[in-house]
């Protein structure tokens, strides 16, 4: 690290859990963020600020006025622009040293796998079951750890998977791919800071995963914004899972 980087990341370096060696590890890591909306916004911004060396951004949507209530990586001037380009501009303003890869496309499991082969960690910040199933298949194929997050109304949840561990469940162990896209913010609404809470937790889990390896694998963490309570649930691996037991 040069002098400017030592100053920029000095508060990390002071932490014995990170120190210079840990910060150097962050600087040489590559994380994929799928979805640059309410969750992907704080995730991308915190990871850029923390010094993740490369960020691959995946999204196929454009910024709309209704997004600005919660998608803090975007601005009024970004309306009509692609979310990946808008988020990339915000990231570069935060930390120009971060190498940003913009993928403005809706991808299949096979296409995701091609991109994920080069990354250390995948973060699912999407709001569609179909996207999560595709991400799951790609991560199982490439043996990449990933953290899935979701938030709707006043409920949020986080899940960590590590296909490299035989004991780890995958997303298909927990949910059936029946074509149902589930609950949507456009229909049920979502509390704006809830995305910040869950997105910040996902960013925290990402940093710790890069430094220490995936944590709380196969454990669902649920947050209720009504009474500010957390709940943890241990999820078993499905013996006859059509994705990870094949």
């Amino acid at each position: 690290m040069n002098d400017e980087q030592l100053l920029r990341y000095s508060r990390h370096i002071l932490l014995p859990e990170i120190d210079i060696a840990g910060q150097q590890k962050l600087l040489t890591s590559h994380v994929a963020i799928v979805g640059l909306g309410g969750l992907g916004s704080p995730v991308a911004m915190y990871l850029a600020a923390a010094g993740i060396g490369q960020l691959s951004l995946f999204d196929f949507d454009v910024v709309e006025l209704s997004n600005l209530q919660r998608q803090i990586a975007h601005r009024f001037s970004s309306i009509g622009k692609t979310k990946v380009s808008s988020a990339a501009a915000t990231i570069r303003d935060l930390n120009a040293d971060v190498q940003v890869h913009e993928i403005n496309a809706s991808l299949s499991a096979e296409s995701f796998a091609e991109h994920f082969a080069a990354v250390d960690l995948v973060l699912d910040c999407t709001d569609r079951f179909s996207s999560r199933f595709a991400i799951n298949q790609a991560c199982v194929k490439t043996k990449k750890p990933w953290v899935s997050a979701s938030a709707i109304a006043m409920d949020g949840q986080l899940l960590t998977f590590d296909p490299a561990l035989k004991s780890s469940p995958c997303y298909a162990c927990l949910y059936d791919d029946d074509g149902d896209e589930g609950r949507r913010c456009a229909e049920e609404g979502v509390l704006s800071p809830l995305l910040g809470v869950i997105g910040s937790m996902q960013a925290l889990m990402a940093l710790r995963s890069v430094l220490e390896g995936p944590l709380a694998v196969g454990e669902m963490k649920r947050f209720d914004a009504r009474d500010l309570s957390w709940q943890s649930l241990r999820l078993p691996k499905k013996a006859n899972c059509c994705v990870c037991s094949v």
Side-chain angles (χ1 to χ4, degrees):
M1 283 183 281
N2 57 38
D3 290 344
E4 182 178 300
Q5 289 174 318
L6 289 171
L7 179 59
R8 176 187 284 270
Y9 305 117
S10 60
R11 273 41 171 194
H12 268 179
I13 293 169
L14 287 169
L15 297 172
E17 295 87 352
I18 299 181
D19 206 343
I20 290 179
Q23 187 60 52
Q24 189 63 50
K25 194 170 186 178
L26 296 178
L27 289 168
T28 57
S29 64
H30 186 174
V31 176
I33 303 173
V34 187
L36 276 302
L39 291 169
S41 288
V43 167
M45 293 167 72
Y46 267 120
L47 294 190
I52 293 294
Q54 294 186 66
L55 292 173
S56 286
L57 310 181
F58 297 79
D59 206 311
F60 58 88
D61 208 353
V62 298
V63 180
E64 300 178 355
L65 180 61
S66 61
N67 300 149
L68 302 184
Q69 169 254 5
R70 64 201 178 280
Q71 300 183 15
I72 60 173
H74 311 302
R75 305 291 181 264
F76 185 79
S77 59
S78 300
I79 292 175
K81 297 180 181 178
T82 64
K83 288 186 178 179
V84 290
S85 64
S86 173
T90 299
I91 289 169
R92 293 186 180 107
D93 279 344
L94 277 171
N95 191 347
D97 290 339
V98 178
Q99 186 176 352
V100 184
H101 309 281
E102 302 175 34
I103 300 93
N104 178 34
S106 177
L107 302 180
S108 64
E110 292 76 17
S111 298
F112 274 132
E114 292 177 8
H115 287 283
F116 292 171
V119 309
D120 302 303
L121 178 69
V122 176
L123 302 178
D124 159 41
C125 303
T126 67
D127 60 358
R128 302 166 190 258
F129 277 121
S130 57
S131 297
R132 295 187 191 114
F133 284 116
I135 293 167
N136 180 62
Q137 291 179 40
C139 287
V140 169
K141 181 177 181 179
T142 56
K143 294 290 190 289
K144 299 295 181 178
W146 65 294
V147 182
S148 178
S150 62
I152 187 73
M154 299 184 76
D155 303 298
Q157 71 177 36
L158 296 134
L159 283 161
T160 302
F161 306 96
D162 187 359
L165 298 176
K166 291 184 178 180
S167 60
S168 173
C170 78
Y171 199 79
C173 291
L174 312 178
Y175 298 101
D176 294 323
D177 188 1
D178 57 7
D180 182 7
E181 289 292 0
R183 303 163 68 190
R184 300 294 302 278
C185 291
E187 299 165 353
E188 298 192 35
V190 63
L191 182 65
S192 177
L194 174 65
L195 283 303
V197 172
I198 302 302
S200 295
M201 282 294 295
Q202 191 177 20
L204 175 60
M205 293 168 75
L207 292 177
R208 293 197 61 187
S209 180
V210 169
L211 293 169
E212 308 169 46
L215 304 174
V217 172
E219 183 176 303
M220 178 186 289
K221 297 188 178 296
R222 302 179 65 180
F223 179 69
D224 188 336
R226 299 167 188 83
D227 59 5
L228 308 182
S229 63
W230 285 93
Q231 180 183 23
S232 294
L233 303 171
R234 176 62 62 180
L235 304 169
K237 183 181 178 71
K238 191 174 180 180
N240 60 344
C241 176
C242 62
V243 176
C244 67
S245 64
V246 175

